Amino acid sequence: MAHFGVVAPAFYSHVNALAALAVELIERGHRVTFLHRPDAATYLDDQRIGFHAVGAATHPPGSLDAMLRRAANPGGPLGLRRVIDDMAQTTAMLCRELPAALATLRIDAILGDQMEAAGGLVAEALGLPLISVACALPVNREPGLPLPVMPFGWGEDERSLRMVEGSTRVYDWLMAPHRRVIEAEARRLGIPVRGMLHECLSSLAQISQTTASFDFPRRQAPACFHHVGPLRHAASAAARHPPLPPIDPGKPFVFASLGTMQGHRFGLFRRIAQACRELDVQLLVAHCGGLTARQGAALRDAGATWVCAFAPQLEALARADAVISHAGSNTVMDAIAARTPILALPIAFDQPGAAARICHAGIGLRASARWTGASGIARLLRRLLDDASFTPRLEALAADVESAGGTRRAADLVETTLRLRQPQPVTA
């Protein structure tokens, strides 16, 4: 049996997906330990998963909240630069701290989130096997393929190709502080110099929470790249949240969530509530602890039927006639699995790219989280509820999610790649 070290960004959605894979591996007899700044330990609620704190000198307890606030509200160019600097400083800290910690823990292999370069850099320096996991949209690059953070669609015409080329140059320029850290740490660790996230991935196995049918067309994915669909562990998820409220089956039901980092956006939730009141539909708002009790009461006054901090998302999506979301990867993939059309209101990170893929796949609509008013949200939501054309496309993508294998297949890939078990024969 192996001892896996997990290296990922200190974001709840990323840790939650990797924790599902960790639990599956633990139930197969392996050990799994997450390594990060002390505050990240709060994301893990399964005592079987280990946690080893690193970087307390530069990332002390209590400092994570400020970083998350900056990431959730980058604001203008200076704010965005600060978020990129936070990423760079975290990568530098992990590259400094991980080698000794991995040796102390006697880690056999690393499960590295694609969004944290340190996992790949340190694994290569120490000669440890690396399995890369894309908890968000994959960062793998191909000519003509829009980056995950870009809001526009895929196309093969000259204009589309120019947009991809130009936007990639701008993105790489913005990410220069992070690139310089990756380059410096590669030199310090004594490995070939590289500077971008997509250059720090595993050559053994790359696992993605997406499916091929949801992503834009990929024609140059490496042979070791595997779409497995959502990484979830149903037993732990069901025990974490209260049950759904009593939903009237004779009236449309809408679920709204903006994820753990954007759940504080009261103004956007209020516009959603007003839109649902205009349409006379039931609305469950899950704000992930981002709102006060007073704000929750105000949302109910504005038109929300129920307001809570957390809801059982898989169950809520299975019951919902539509979901209004920030287009976070976890919510999008869960909505596909539940065959629930999506109104995407992207805010940051890879959410604009996920919204573009939602429209490309024909499984939902998108609008501006900042500029779309209650009437605009109501108009788009009405279309989601009335237009039957979303259903067959959702059915096709949901079938792909079901056949992708999810957490069990991801664990199989980890074990077979590292020769911890024999490959299973493929049955018809």
Side-chain angles (χ1 to χ4, degrees), residues 11 22 26 41 45 52 65 80 119 184 197 223 243 245 253 290 310-311 315 377 411:
F11 295 141
I26 289 168
D45 56 10
H52 185 89
D65 283 347
L80 179 59
L197 286 172
F253 167 55
F310 293 96
E315 186 181 353
I377 293 173

Side-chain angles (χ1 to χ4, degrees), residues 75-143:
L78 290 178
L80 179 59
R81 181 60 176 263
R82 181 56 179 153
V83 172
I84 295 169
D85 286 343
D86 284 338
M87 291 176 60
Q89 291 169 19
T90 298
T91 294
M93 177 275 287
L94 289 170
C95 286
R96 291 192 308 267
E97 300 278 348
L98 285 176
L102 294 169
T104 298
L105 294 168
R106 297 184 178 181
I107 295 296
D108 299 305
I110 292 178
L111 302 176
D113 191 301
Q114 281 196 352
M115 291 302 297
E116 178 46 70
L121 296 175
V122 173
E124 184 172 344
L126 299 183
L128 289 173
L130 168 72
I131 306 293
S132 296
V133 183
C135 294
L137 292 177
V139 302
N140 304 67
R141 293 193 182 184
E142 293 186 17

Side-chain angles (χ1 to χ4, degrees), residues 214 216 342 344 353-367 390 393:
F214 172 70
F216 291 145
I342 306 162
R357 286 158 176 80
I358 288 168
C359 294
H360 176 80
I363 58 171
L365 305 170
R366 66 176 169 184
F390 295 104
R393 294 189 286 264

Side-chain angles (χ1 to χ4, degrees), residues 16 19-21 23-24 27 48 230-241 312-315 407-408:
N16 189 48
L21 177 55
V23 168
E24 178 67 26
E27 291 178 348
R48 295 172 295 176
L231 299 176
R232 305 288 182 268
H233 195 270
S236 59
R240 194 180 303 146
H241 303 313
Q313 178 160 291
L314 297 178
E315 186 181 353
T407 311
R408 290 183 61 84

Side-chain angles (χ1 to χ4, degrees), residues 152-226:
F152 49 84
W154 173 86
E156 296 182 287
D157 57 283
E158 184 178 349
R159 180 177 179 274
S160 297
L161 295 176
R162 284 202 307 268
M163 287 179 64
V164 170
E165 183 180 354
S167 63
T168 299
R169 285 200 300 269
V170 171
Y171 173 83
D172 289 345
W173 176 77
L174 287 171
M175 292 298 293
H178 195 232
R179 184 190 70 244
R180 287 192 289 269
V181 165
I182 295 175
E183 292 171 346
E185 291 303 323
R187 292 189 184 96
R188 189 182 63 79
L189 290 167
I191 60 176
V193 176
R194 75 295 307 266
M196 308 301 291
L197 286 172
H198 70 281
E199 298 172 324
C200 301
L201 305 180
S202 173
S203 61
L204 298 175
Q206 300 173 22
I207 295 169
S208 173
Q209 283 204 100
T210 56
T211 60
S213 56
F214 172 70
D215 201 357
F216 291 145
R218 290 185 179 273
R219 295 165 178 166
Q220 298 180 19
C224 65
F225 184 93
H226 306 278

Side-chain angles (χ1 to χ4, degrees), residues 8-12 15 36-37 40 43 64 67-68 90:
F11 295 141
Y12 174 79
V15 172
H36 216 297
R37 61 196 296 162
Y43 292 148
L64 178 59
M67 186 274 284
L68 294 176
T90 298

